[in-house]
Amino acid sequence: MRKVARVVLLDPQNRILLLHGHEPEDPADDWWFTPGGGVEGDESRAQAALRELAEETGITEVELGPVLWRRMCSFPFAGRRWDQDEWYYLARTTQTATRAVALTELERRSVAGARWWTCQELARAHETVYPTRLAELLRTLLDEGPPAGPVTLDPEIV
């Protein structure tokens, strides 16, 4: 089980930043997802969240908040199955320009860019987005604020 830290990054207009990913050998098999990745060595999940965000987006001016959600997921990607225990951290930034600065070789072959989404755009999107209920989760977050403690999301097996 891979320990993963993800970031629900919001800008001052409450737009969320998502990365556009795809299968390395099939760009038409694509989806949108939050920045983040695996915990390395003895770093904490919070440290992993900030490191991954910086590597994938170049954004370092971040106020890291609480863990919003936890999710177990399993999916095929790049010829193998990934089993992950994901924690989603809330973060805010005023830095909206993005530039990947330290992608792995696999990320270079499978991440096509980044985009800021409004909650309304996300709710109307026909693209695949992970986690699958992200528009609903974001609406609740914006309406009610962060939960008192992390909410466990339904497991997702693709």
Side-chain angles (χ1 to χ4, degrees):
M1 185 65 65
R2 183 172 182 240
K3 290 170 55 174
V4 171
R6 298 208 161 280
V7 181
V8 176
L9 186 64
L10 302 178
D11 73 359
Q13 288 77 46
N14 284 326
R15 296 180 304 169
I16 186 172
L17 182 67
L18 297 180
L19 302 180
H20 190 202
H22 59 82
E23 272 294 330
E25 306 306 321
D26 184 7
D29 183 2
D30 68 333
W31 55 87
W32 292 89
F33 64 103
T34 58
V39 174
E40 295 180 357
D42 62 353
E43 72 184 347
S44 70
R45 289 211 199 215
Q47 291 167 327
L50 293 172
R51 176 186 50 76
E52 287 282 341
L53 184 65
E55 291 173 358
E56 295 174 348
T57 70
I59 295 176
T60 56
E61 299 167 22
V62 175
E63 179 186 322
L64 192 65
V67 177
L68 300 170
W69 316 309
R70 292 182 180 164
R71 175 180 83 137
M72 303 294 278
C73 62
S74 180
F75 55 91
F77 173 67
R80 65 171 273 216
R81 179 150 289 275
W82 300 73
D83 297 311
Q84 300 191 157
D85 175 14
E86 300 182 335
W87 292 15
Y88 290 78
Y89 286 85
L90 173 61
R92 292 200 170 268
T93 188
T94 57
Q95 183 183 344
T96 57
T98 63
R99 185 174 64 85
V101 296
L103 297 181
T104 66
E105 187 273 334
L106 179 57
E107 288 170 330
R108 282 192 298 277
R109 293 189 302 126
S110 62
V111 177
R115 177 183 160 197
W116 292 95
W117 296 71
T118 66
C119 192
Q120 295 78 13
E121 289 170 335
L122 201 52
R124 291 192 308 261
H126 295 292
E127 293 94 342
T128 301
V129 177
Y130 294 109
T132 54
R133 293 177 42 232
L134 185 57
E136 173 190 336
L137 293 164
L138 180 59
R139 173 52 41 215
T140 300
L141 173 65
L142 295 177
D143 288 348
E144 301 174 11
V151 172
T152 300
L153 304 180
D154 290 338
E156 286 193 54
I157 300 173
V158 179

